[in-house]
Amino acid sequence: MKTNKLNLYLLIAGSFLISCTGNVKKSMQNMENEYEKGTFGYDLNYLSKKDSLIVLKSDDEKAQVIVSAKYQAKVFTSTVNGKEGNSLGFVNYRFFDAGIVDEHMNGFGGENRFWLGPEGGQYSIFFEPGKEQVYDNWHTPKGIDIEAWEIREATTKSATLAKEMTLQNYRGNNLQIAVERTISLVTNSEIATSLNITIPQNVQAVAYATQNRITNQNDYEWTPETGTVCIWMLDMFIPSDSAVTIIPYRTGDESSLGKVVTSDYFGEIPSDRLIDGNGVIYFKTDGKARGKLGMNAKRTLNIAGNYDPISKRLTVVTFDTDPKATYLNQEWNPDKDPLTGDALNAYNDGPLEDGSIMGPFLELESSSPAAFLQPGESLSHQHNVYHFVGEEADLSRIAKSLLGVELKKIKSIL
């Protein structure tokens, strides 16, 4: 009799467990189906299957930011309106879903990622010594490409992550580097203070500051003879047919400030895609034509933006620069002077000659000065991202204040 009762209890319990498991699976499926592709909720669910994410969020959970330790301390994406809001960063689903490991670069995406430069030239950390600097020989260092980072500290407001790596440069020297990176959510009141603006009542915002530090762990100084690195921040956003990157710059003679812009990284950018407005550069970022530009530290005003009237998004990035410092040349050409390079870059993705494309996406980038460091010495670089979403008239006040131009002009110029 006792055995029969026990069997009955086990049968009931088993049925209950199966029912609960089925409900959990159904609940998870419903949760995933609740958010359309393109929303923050969709990306949160999608990326949660890849990593145990760190999610920074405001008290009302409208402003949210996804950080991943497994994927090199990337900020993958953000939103101004919670899970139902648009996802503002570029997530490369196609690459994730392919499930491959690329020997050159693993393009998972991410609206803010930490890299190290230079990419090419005499100090390159992407090419082995003596190898021709062409795509077949180009390999992204694993510490900034596929290896996980350590979480030092994480809350709903900030996260600190770290990584140690040894990188061989084109001169054959092994640079031992310790990296620490903190991503901090910035509140609306802090946005207003740091940018010296008033956020219009109907504008939604999300922002975060990234403080990035590298330390020389070698027992020798990094010099022009040994070669060195720089901190390189890259922001990947979603393009549109109407999106335009806006870069205000310092006007003046080339003899003292250098050329306004370098526009031939991947061939000269056509004039119908790049316009010099005498103090402001306008760059069409529709994801349909590959092009990259650069600006030196004497010209840049430490700020750049991108406006997309279709999604009603204005993005602004700010970053550290030092006009008196040395910046590294990142071109794939070891014959070029390695000590003359850009502090700011902007990129528009587009198809390669064979028709393939990684994105499409657009990028805003900043670099630190060259890290000529003594053993144990550190260099830091701050790079901040601000997204504003709202109606054109409201966003135009922000653009005018920060970028020196109204959105009506931005829409009409390209």
Side-chain angles (χ1 to χ4, degrees):
M1 185 69 177
K2 289 182 179 178
T3 302
N4 289 339
K5 283 185 177 180
L6 179 60
N7 288 338
L8 179 61
Y9 293 151
L10 291 173
L11 179 62
I12 293 171
S15 298
F16 179 74
L17 181 60
I18 292 170
S19 174
C20 286
T21 303
N23 286 338
V24 169
K25 288 182 178 178
K26 189 177 294 184
S27 174
M28 290 177 66
Q29 290 170 355
N30 288 342
M31 179 184 69
E32 292 175 6
N33 293 335
E34 183 181 348
Y35 304 107
E36 295 182 2
K37 198 170 188 178
T39 64
F40 184 81
Y42 180 94
D43 283 349
L44 181 60
N45 289 336
Y46 182 88
L47 293 168
S48 292
K49 297 175 183 177
K50 316 295 182 185
D51 187 20
S52 299
L53 304 171
I54 301 167
V55 181
L56 311 182
K57 58 182 69 176
S58 59
D59 292 341
D60 63 4
E61 299 193 357
K62 292 292 188 182
Q64 297 195 39
V65 176
I66 294 175
V67 180
S68 170
K70 179 180 178 181
Y71 294 97
Q72 302 78 55
K74 283 182 175 69
V75 172
F76 260 114
T77 189
S78 61
T79 184
V80 302
N81 196 30
K83 294 179 181 178
E84 292 79 14
N86 286 342
S87 188
L88 300 175
F90 170 71
V91 178
N92 197 345
Y93 313 110
R94 188 169 65 248
F95 189 87
F96 269 115
D97 294 343
I100 63 172
V101 176
D102 191 295
E103 65 169 310
H104 299 289
M105 173 192 171
N106 289 271
F108 297 108
E111 76 163 68
N112 176 267
R113 74 181 190 270
F114 177 97
W115 261 20
L116 291 166
E119 186 174 5
Q122 294 179 26
Y123 299 164
S124 173
I125 54 172
F126 288 70
F127 292 97
E128 294 180 13
K131 291 289 186 72
E132 184 181 3
Q133 295 192 2
V134 295
Y135 181 78
D136 285 347
N137 298 326
W138 177 77
H139 302 281
T140 307
K142 290 182 171 55
I144 55 174
D145 185 44
I146 59 173
E147 293 179 352
W149 286 36
E150 170 197 350
I151 300 174
R152 291 271 174 89
E153 184 179 358
T155 69
T156 58
K157 304 305 180 187
S158 70
T160 298
L161 303 98
K163 181 71 176 176
E164 293 185 356
M165 57 190 80
T166 299
L167 306 178
Q168 184 184 56
N169 66 16
Y170 200 66
R171 292 197 168 183
N173 294 311
N174 292 317
L175 304 183
Q176 297 176 14
I177 305 169
V179 182
E180 185 175 89
R181 165 167 160 82
T182 298
I183 303 105
S184 303
L185 193 68
V186 180
T187 66
N188 279 16
S189 61
E190 290 169 337
I191 294 171
T193 299
S194 62
L195 296 179
N196 193 26
I197 61 169
T198 298
I199 302 175
Q201 185 175 358
N202 295 324
V203 169
Q204 296 174 298
V206 60
Y208 52 92
T210 74
Q211 186 67 36
N212 309 277
R213 184 178 67 190
I214 58 174
T215 301
N216 177 358
Q217 291 192 308
N218 287 107
D219 58 4
Y220 59 85
E221 181 182 359
W222 296 345
T223 67
E225 287 68 41
T226 65
T228 188
V229 294
C230 63
I231 296 171
W232 184 12
M233 306 305 305
L234 302 98
D235 302 331
M236 303 174 81
F237 306 119
I238 301 167
S240 84
D241 287 346
S242 302
V244 177
T245 285
I246 313 104
I247 305 172
Y249 67 88
R250 184 172 290 105
T251 58
D253 293 337
E254 286 195 13
S255 59
S256 58
L257 298 178
K259 65 193 302 186
V260 170
V261 65
T262 299
S263 54
D264 59 354
Y265 272 85
F266 302 124
E268 189 63 42
I269 301 172
S271 58
D272 61 344
R273 289 187 162 273
L274 182 67
I275 293 177
D276 184 349
N278 189 29
V280 181
I281 293 292
Y282 302 90
F283 181 27
K284 188 175 183 64
T285 47
D286 56 1
K288 295 181 178 179
R290 191 166 180 253
K292 181 174 179 176
L293 61 82
M295 186 174 287
N296 70 47
K298 292 181 180 179
R299 288 286 187 183
T300 179
L301 297 176
N302 305 2
I303 192 168
N306 185 272
Y307 177 55
D308 177 16
I310 296 175
S311 64
K312 301 181 178 180
R313 168 195 56 77
L314 173 66
T315 295
V316 174
V317 301
T318 63
F319 43 88
D320 293 339
T321 56
D322 181 354
K324 297 180 180 179
T326 297
Y327 285 77
L328 299 180
N329 191 320
Q330 304 231 36
E331 295 176 79
W332 292 14
N333 186 347
D335 294 330
K336 289 285 188 75
D337 179 359
L339 302 179
T340 303
D342 295 321
L344 162 69
N345 293 99
Y347 175 75
N348 182 55
D349 198 25
L352 299 174
E353 291 182 2
D354 61 3
S356 65
I357 188 170
M358 180 184 291
F361 56 86
L362 66 94
E363 281 184 325
L364 294 171
E365 311 171 10
S366 74
S367 297
S368 75
F372 292 121
L373 303 175
Q374 298 282 348
E377 189 178 7
S378 299
L379 177 144
S380 294
H381 180 68
Q382 183 150 342
H383 180 107
N384 311 311
V385 178
Y386 306 85
H387 293 294
F388 305 96
V389 176
E391 297 302 321
E392 181 179 313
D394 291 325
L395 295 180
S396 189
R397 290 155 57 188
I398 298 174
K400 179 66 174 176
S401 177
L402 299 179
L403 303 172
V405 63
E406 295 181 347
L407 295 185
K408 185 177 181 181
K409 182 174 184 178
I410 296 171
K411 283 175 58 181
S412 64
I413 201 164
L414 283 169

